[in-house]
Amino acid sequence: AIRGINMLRLGTQTTNLAKLGITSKCHLLDCIVGSVKYVVRSKFTAETHCVIDGADQGISIALTLHEIANGPVGTQVATDLANYAGLDFDIHCVTDAMNLLLSVKNIDMTHQTDKQFIDHLLWLKNKLGNGVVKRLAWTNKRDMTADGHTKRAIKRTALHALMNGRMTIQYRRES
Protein backbone atom coordinates (compact mmCIF):
# COMPACT_ATOMS: atom_id res chain seq x y z
CA ALA A 1 0.00 0.00 0.00
CA ILE A 2 1.09 3.56 -0.68
CA ARG A 3 0.66 6.14 2.06
CA GLY A 4 0.40 9.89 1.91
CA ILE A 5 0.58 12.11 4.98
CA ASN A 6 0.46 15.91 5.20
CA MET A 7 1.64 17.72 8.33
CA LEU A 8 0.06 21.17 8.73
CA ARG A 9 0.34 24.07 11.12
CA LEU A 10 -3.00 25.84 11.12
CA GLY A 11 -3.22 29.57 11.60
CA THR A 12 -3.88 30.98 15.06
CA GLN A 13 -7.20 32.44 13.90
CA THR A 14 -8.57 28.94 13.25
CA THR A 15 -11.04 28.31 16.06
CA ASN A 16 -13.53 25.79 14.69
CA LEU A 17 -12.42 23.23 12.15
CA ALA A 18 -15.91 21.76 12.03
CA LYS A 19 -17.40 24.71 10.17
CA LEU A 20 -17.90 23.71 6.57
CA GLY A 21 -16.65 25.93 3.77
CA ILE A 22 -14.41 28.03 6.04
CA THR A 23 -10.94 28.60 4.63
CA SER A 24 -8.12 28.62 7.16
CA LYS A 25 -4.54 29.77 6.80
CA CYS A 26 -2.04 26.95 7.16
CA HIS A 27 1.59 26.04 6.70
CA LEU A 28 2.46 22.76 5.04
CA LEU A 29 5.28 21.55 7.29
CA ASP A 30 5.96 18.07 5.98
CA CYS A 31 4.73 15.52 3.46
CA ILE A 32 5.36 11.81 3.71
CA VAL A 33 4.76 9.74 0.61
CA GLY A 34 5.91 6.18 0.19
CA SER A 35 5.06 2.54 0.59
CA VAL A 36 3.97 1.02 3.87
CA LYS A 37 6.89 -0.91 5.32
CA TYR A 38 4.76 -3.58 6.99
CA VAL A 39 3.33 -6.81 5.65
CA VAL A 40 -0.32 -6.64 6.62
CA ARG A 41 -3.43 -8.71 6.07
CA SER A 42 -5.94 -5.98 5.28
CA LYS A 43 -6.39 -2.47 3.92
CA PHE A 44 -7.66 -1.44 7.37
CA THR A 45 -4.39 -2.50 9.00
CA ALA A 46 -2.37 -0.63 6.35
CA GLU A 47 -4.43 2.54 6.81
CA THR A 48 -4.08 2.29 10.58
CA HIS A 49 -0.30 1.96 10.32
CA CYS A 50 -0.29 5.12 8.19
CA VAL A 51 -2.27 7.06 10.81
CA ILE A 52 0.03 5.81 13.55
CA ASP A 53 3.11 6.77 11.52
CA GLY A 54 1.57 10.21 10.97
CA ALA A 55 0.79 10.63 14.67
CA ASP A 56 4.33 9.59 15.59
CA GLN A 57 5.84 12.02 13.08
CA GLY A 58 3.41 14.70 14.29
CA ILE A 59 4.64 14.24 17.86
CA SER A 60 8.23 14.75 16.68
CA ILE A 61 7.32 17.90 14.75
CA ALA A 62 5.21 19.27 17.64
CA LEU A 63 8.10 18.64 20.04
CA THR A 64 10.48 20.48 17.70
CA LEU A 65 8.07 23.44 17.46
CA HIS A 66 7.66 23.34 21.25
CA GLU A 67 11.44 23.66 21.65
CA ILE A 68 11.57 26.51 19.12
CA ALA A 69 8.92 28.36 21.12
CA ASN A 70 10.24 27.57 24.62
CA GLY A 71 13.90 26.66 24.25
CA PRO A 72 15.59 23.27 24.45
CA VAL A 73 14.26 20.64 26.83
CA GLY A 74 16.06 17.71 28.40
CA THR A 75 15.59 14.07 27.49
CA GLN A 76 13.22 13.32 30.37
CA VAL A 77 11.06 16.38 29.66
CA ALA A 78 10.95 15.49 25.95
CA THR A 79 9.90 11.94 26.82
CA ASP A 80 7.18 13.24 29.15
CA LEU A 81 5.91 15.67 26.52
CA ALA A 82 5.77 12.87 23.93
CA ASN A 83 3.93 10.53 26.31
CA TYR A 84 1.66 12.92 28.20
CA ALA A 85 -0.08 16.22 27.46
CA GLY A 86 1.94 19.42 27.58
CA LEU A 87 3.07 20.25 24.06
CA ASP A 88 2.34 23.82 22.97
CA PHE A 89 1.04 22.57 19.62
CA ASP A 90 -2.04 20.37 19.21
CA ILE A 91 -1.93 17.23 17.09
CA HIS A 92 -5.08 16.27 15.19
CA CYS A 93 -5.06 13.11 13.06
CA VAL A 94 -7.55 12.97 10.21
CA THR A 95 -8.34 9.80 8.29
CA ASP A 96 -10.92 8.59 5.81
CA ALA A 97 -11.09 5.16 7.52
CA MET A 98 -14.21 5.25 9.70
CA ASN A 99 -13.50 1.73 10.93
CA LEU A 100 -10.30 3.03 12.58
CA LEU A 101 -12.30 5.45 14.75
CA LEU A 102 -14.64 2.67 15.79
CA SER A 103 -11.76 0.28 16.51
CA VAL A 104 -9.89 2.77 18.70
CA LYS A 105 -13.04 3.48 20.70
CA ASN A 106 -13.90 -0.22 21.11
CA ILE A 107 -10.73 -2.30 21.00
CA ASP A 108 -11.83 -5.94 21.02
CA MET A 109 -8.97 -8.16 22.13
CA THR A 110 -10.82 -11.40 21.44
CA HIS A 111 -11.70 -11.01 17.76
CA GLN A 112 -8.52 -9.53 16.31
CA THR A 113 -6.99 -11.68 13.58
CA ASP A 114 -3.65 -9.89 13.89
CA LYS A 115 -2.77 -10.00 17.62
CA GLN A 116 0.37 -7.84 17.21
CA PHE A 117 -1.78 -5.14 15.63
CA ILE A 118 -3.60 -4.61 18.94
CA ASP A 119 -0.38 -3.07 20.33
CA HIS A 120 -0.53 -0.38 17.65
CA LEU A 121 -4.19 0.38 18.33
CA LEU A 122 -3.47 0.59 22.07
CA TRP A 123 -0.54 2.97 21.40
CA LEU A 124 -2.85 5.30 19.47
CA LYS A 125 -5.59 5.03 22.11
CA ASN A 126 -3.00 5.84 24.80
CA LYS A 127 -1.83 8.97 22.93
CA LEU A 128 -5.46 10.08 22.57
CA GLY A 129 -6.26 9.29 26.21
CA ASN A 130 -3.20 11.18 27.49
CA GLY A 131 -3.96 14.21 25.33
CA VAL A 132 -0.78 14.02 23.24
CA VAL A 133 -2.94 13.52 20.15
CA LYS A 134 -5.90 15.84 20.74
CA ARG A 135 -8.26 14.36 18.18
CA LEU A 136 -8.68 11.48 15.79
CA ALA A 137 -11.25 12.48 13.18
CA TRP A 138 -12.88 10.91 10.17
CA THR A 139 -13.38 12.97 7.02
CA ASN A 140 -14.89 12.35 3.64
CA LYS A 141 -12.43 11.08 1.03
CA ARG A 142 -13.00 14.28 -0.94
CA ASP A 143 -11.41 16.31 1.91
CA MET A 144 -8.35 14.04 2.19
CA THR A 145 -5.52 16.22 0.94
CA ALA A 146 -2.99 13.40 1.33
CA ASP A 147 -4.81 11.40 -1.35
CA GLY A 148 -3.41 13.90 -3.83
CA HIS A 149 -0.03 12.21 -3.34
CA THR A 150 -1.16 8.64 -3.85
CA LYS A 151 -4.16 8.47 -6.17
CA ARG A 152 -3.91 9.07 -9.90
CA ALA A 153 -7.51 9.97 -10.68
CA ILE A 154 -7.99 12.53 -7.91
CA LYS A 155 -7.99 16.30 -8.40
CA ARG A 156 -5.05 18.00 -6.76
CA THR A 157 -6.74 21.35 -6.11
CA ALA A 158 -6.87 20.80 -2.31
CA LEU A 159 -3.19 19.85 -2.26
CA HIS A 160 -2.29 22.93 -4.31
CA ALA A 161 -4.32 25.08 -1.91
CA LEU A 162 -2.31 23.65 1.02
CA MET A 163 0.92 24.55 -0.76
CA ASN A 164 -0.46 28.08 -1.14
CA GLY A 165 -1.26 28.29 2.58
CA ARG A 166 -5.02 27.66 2.51
CA MET A 167 -7.15 24.77 3.74
CA THR A 168 -10.90 24.50 3.26
CA ILE A 169 -13.04 21.78 4.84
CA GLN A 170 -15.95 21.03 2.52
CA TYR A 171 -17.44 17.97 4.20
CA ARG A 172 -18.55 17.02 7.71
CA ARG A 173 -15.96 15.48 10.08
CA GLU A 174 -16.60 13.08 12.94
CA SER A 175 -14.53 12.36 16.03
Side-chain angles (χ1 to χ4, degrees), residues 14-160:
T14 304
T15 56
N16 189 352
L17 292 177
K19 290 183 180 177
L20 302 180
I22 302 296
T23 299
S24 303
K25 290 182 180 179
C26 68
H27 295 103
L28 184 58
L29 299 176
D30 192 15
C31 294
I32 303 170
V33 182
S35 61
V36 176
K37 305 287 188 227
Y38 311 101
V39 176
V40 295
R41 297 180 184 191
S42 68
K43 182 179 177 184
F44 164 69
T45 305
E47 288 177 345
T48 302
H49 276 295
C50 292
V51 170
I52 290 169
D53 287 348
D56 196 34
Q57 181 71 15
I59 292 168
S60 297
I61 290 173
L63 181 58
T64 301
L65 293 172
H66 181 90
E67 287 190 308
I68 290 169
N70 298 298
V73 297
T75 307
Q76 186 59 47
V77 173
T79 301
D80 290 344
L81 288 171
N83 288 323
Y84 307 102
L87 290 168
D88 285 351
F89 298 86
D90 292 345
I91 300 167
H92 297 256
C93 294
V94 180
T95 181
D96 59 359
M98 176 62 86
N99 49 359
L100 174 58
L101 261 67
L102 300 174
S103 292
V104 168
K105 288 178 184 176
N106 306 309
I107 295 176
D108 183 4
M109 305 284 262
T110 58
H111 294 96
Q112 287 288 334
T113 57
D114 188 355
K115 299 293 185 194
Q116 293 175 338
F117 181 63
I118 293 173
D119 293 340
H120 298 284
L121 284 176
L122 289 172
W123 179 89
L124 184 58
K125 186 171 186 166
N126 176 272
K127 296 300 179 189
L128 286 161
N130 288 344
V132 177
V133 175
K134 298 291 184 201
R135 181 177 175 214
L136 176 63
W138 171 86
T139 191
N140 190 295
K141 286 185 181 298
R142 295 171 286 184
D143 265 348
M144 282 300 296
T145 58
D147 282 352
H149 298 298
T150 61
K151 310 256 187 312
R152 287 186 185 192
I154 197 167
K155 290 183 179 178
R156 306 234 175 347
T157 51
L159 190 56
H160 292 156

